[in-house]
Amino acid sequence: MGDRSVYRSVGQKEDTDGIARRVAQITVSAIKQMPVLASKVEGCISLGQGIPSFETPSFIREAVIEALRSDHAIGKYSLQPGLSELRIEIARHLQQTKGIRIDPEKEIFVSCGAMEALAAATATIVERGDEVLIPSPTYSSHIEQILFAEGKPVFVPLIEDQEWKLDLEGFKRAITPKSKAIFLCNPMNPTGAVFSQEELETLAQIALEHNLFVINDEAYDFLVYDNLPYFSLTSIPDLKKNLITTYSFSKMFCMTGWRVGYMYASARIVDQVLKVHDAFAICAPRVSQYAALAALKATNGKDGEGDRSIQQLVARLASRREIACQRLNNLLHVFSYIKPRGAYYVFPKIMIKEMGSMDVSLDLLYEAKVITIPGSGFGPSGEGHIRLSFGATEEEINKAFDRIDIWAKNYR
Ligand SMILES: Cc1ncc(COP(=O)(O)O)c(C=O)c1O
């Protein structure tokens, strides 16, 4: 059995004397802590962090290799908001996928992953004491980003027994004079829910009625199963003045390590967020911007190399989703679950009465050698659940579930 106290010490029990409150009060998310703990346990299989098992497609890597050879500027800063050519490609891509016309000069900036854009956007609009309405469970880093900006996350529980739907009445009830923004992620990490057009239009209406910003994380917009229609908040023209949307190259092109994403918002907001981007990053890594450019240039929504790689990725993740769900069907005495509709996570409810999410995750780590993420890291309604990612290979997923099957026999 490993040292369970270690887990709590990461980001919580450290010496915070003299450390600013905004930093002392936040933690490294459980998503990142579990792999750190697991690095000390030999032979683990990961259903933890959301990293697709696939390599960055070779056409992207080849384009970067060529640029490394021939482009003398590749080691230099780019323009602070990102390479102009890349912003033009991003605008074209958003026009193609969302049907929206965008000014690439003024309404987009390229960030160090979606994460930096989300943190910079939150820091730009949230100040001490501002309330930010956020579904629970939700992606852990959104919570830390609000806290870092010294805002107050106001959790609005999702409706679990209705496939994790938004509780729109709950959002209305949660609004106070201090409400500043709504923070949303669609498709949802960790539940795998995909919100409907009707839900999102109502949410937008609520935001507009109360003049709230909406920070909208669409890192998984391409990853929806069963031909379910996908609706983006960016398609609501009236919301544009209040909306900040972020996208990522990490998942769509298997580029988690390149650290490149972007933000789309009105020029007024982009201008302000760029000040934070300058203070924290200057610009996204130029070499990664070249990779992003190669990715989008090959993606025309039909038959480009990029399109084929995305189609393949979605098909393979869809079959991994089936495997994960079939294996969970044999574990219903320990986990009940809702089949995810998007992203590559499933968020089962723990059916073992005496165990919380941390107990289960640590047990699985030390006894079954399977990395999972405790639901407590995803907001108050995450407790009582664990998050499993099915980004790993089919073989790894099956092996991990073989181990979980053996572990679960303790609870027959
Ligand atoms: C919902 C969500 N948003 C943002 C990110 C981070 O994206 P990026 O790698 O582009 O920073 C992740 C990563 O897992 C995520 O799940």
Side-chain angles (χ1 to χ4, degrees), residues 28-328:
V28 173
S29 74
I31 302 169
K32 324 293 187 322
Q33 289 192 45
M34 289 305 284
V36 173
L37 275 192
S39 67
K40 301 192 176 74
V41 182
E42 223 173 285
C44 282
I45 303 174
S46 182
L47 303 181
Q49 200 171 357
I51 307 175
S53 65
F54 313 103
E55 286 183 345
T56 304
S58 61
F59 75 90
I60 298 175
R61 286 182 286 137
E62 290 301 328
V64 173
I65 290 167
E66 178 49 37
L68 280 167
R69 285 210 180 89
S70 59
D71 188 330
H72 297 297
I74 198 159
K76 300 189 168 145
Y77 297 128
S78 72
L79 287 179
Q80 195 243 353
L83 294 170
S84 301
E85 209 183 346
L86 175 56
R87 282 181 286 144
I88 290 167
E89 278 302 315
I90 290 171
R92 187 193 56 73
H93 177 71
L94 287 179
Q95 160 97 51
Q96 175 195 301
T97 53
K98 310 282 185 294
I100 45 177
R101 281 200 171 278
I102 290 174
D103 180 341
E105 283 278 309
K106 298 197 175 122
E107 296 179 328
I108 286 164
F109 91 87
V110 182
S111 54
C112 305
M115 193 70 107
E116 189 237 339
L118 288 162
T122 310
T124 301
I125 59 166
V126 175
E127 44 191 339
R128 183 175 290 182
D130 282 349
E131 295 179 357
V132 181
L133 279 58
I134 185 160
S136 170
T138 197
Y139 182 48
S140 340
S141 298
H142 297 163
I143 304 170
E144 305 304 334
Q145 284 159 349
I146 296 166
L147 291 171
F148 178 70
E150 301 190 85
K152 180 178 168 208
V154 175
F155 295 104
V156 183
L158 293 165
I159 311 174
E160 181 166 6
D161 59 10
Q162 291 177 37
E163 298 207 5
W164 298 110
K165 259 174 98 140
L166 288 173
D167 179 2
L168 295 161
E169 288 306 313
F171 271 92
K172 284 186 199 160
R173 281 196 303 275
I175 291 173
T176 74
K178 289 188 174 167
S179 304
K180 186 72 180 282
I182 296 174
F183 208 138
L184 199 73
C185 151
N186 183 43
M188 190 81 192
N189 175 359
T191 62
V194 178
F195 301 125
S196 68
Q197 177 166 351
E198 200 186 346
E199 280 172 281
L200 292 168
E201 283 177 345
T202 310
L203 193 76
Q205 214 177 330
I206 297 170
L208 286 170
E209 269 168 28
H210 298 272
N211 197 24
L212 305 178
F213 284 104
V214 180
I215 305 174
N216 176 38
D217 177 349
E218 297 195 358
Y220 300 98
D221 66 333
F222 69 100
L223 190 50
V224 173
Y225 307 107
D226 309 323
N227 296 318
L228 202 68
Y230 178 72
F231 182 77
S232 167
L233 284 171
T234 58
S235 311
I236 303 175
D238 290 348
L239 190 62
K240 180 167 173 176
K241 62 184 172 39
N242 291 28
L243 186 65
I244 300 174
T245 301
T246 61
Y247 294 95
S248 172
F249 288 90
S250 291
K251 318 288 169 161
M252 189 154 79
F253 294 105
C254 305
M255 284 172 53
T256 52
W258 295 81
R259 309 309 303 126
V260 59
Y262 57 95
M263 187 184 106
Y264 157 59
S266 66
R268 178 182 93 86
I269 296 173
V270 170
D271 272 355
Q272 297 302 313
V273 180
L274 277 175
K275 297 184 202 169
V276 184
H277 176 57
D278 190 31
F280 277 82
I282 304 179
C283 65
R286 188 179 191 120
V287 65
S288 304
Q289 294 190 57
Y290 283 14
L293 184 60
L296 287 188
K297 273 188 163 166
T299 308
N300 60 17
K302 294 190 287 271
D303 53 6
E305 241 179 318
D307 300 285
R308 281 196 295 279
S309 79
I310 296 168
Q311 282 153 17
Q312 247 179 37
L313 176 67
V314 175
R316 291 174 76 178
L317 288 170
S319 82
R320 293 177 188 187
R321 178 185 69 141
E322 290 310 317
I323 294 171
C325 291
Q326 276 163 19
R327 299 296 304 252
L328 280 168

Side-chain angles (χ1 to χ4, degrees), residues 160-161 164 328 331-338 346-352 355 360 381-388:
E160 181 166 6
D161 59 10
W164 298 110
L328 280 168
L331 287 164
L332 294 174
H333 65 295
V334 283
F335 300 127
S336 86
Y337 74 99
I338 290 160
V346 56
F347 200 59
K349 188 186 214 161
I350 300 162
M351 306 305 283
I352 311 163
M355 290 182 89
V360 170
S381 327
E383 185 43 77
H385 301 76
I386 57 167
R387 192 193 76 174
L388 308 176

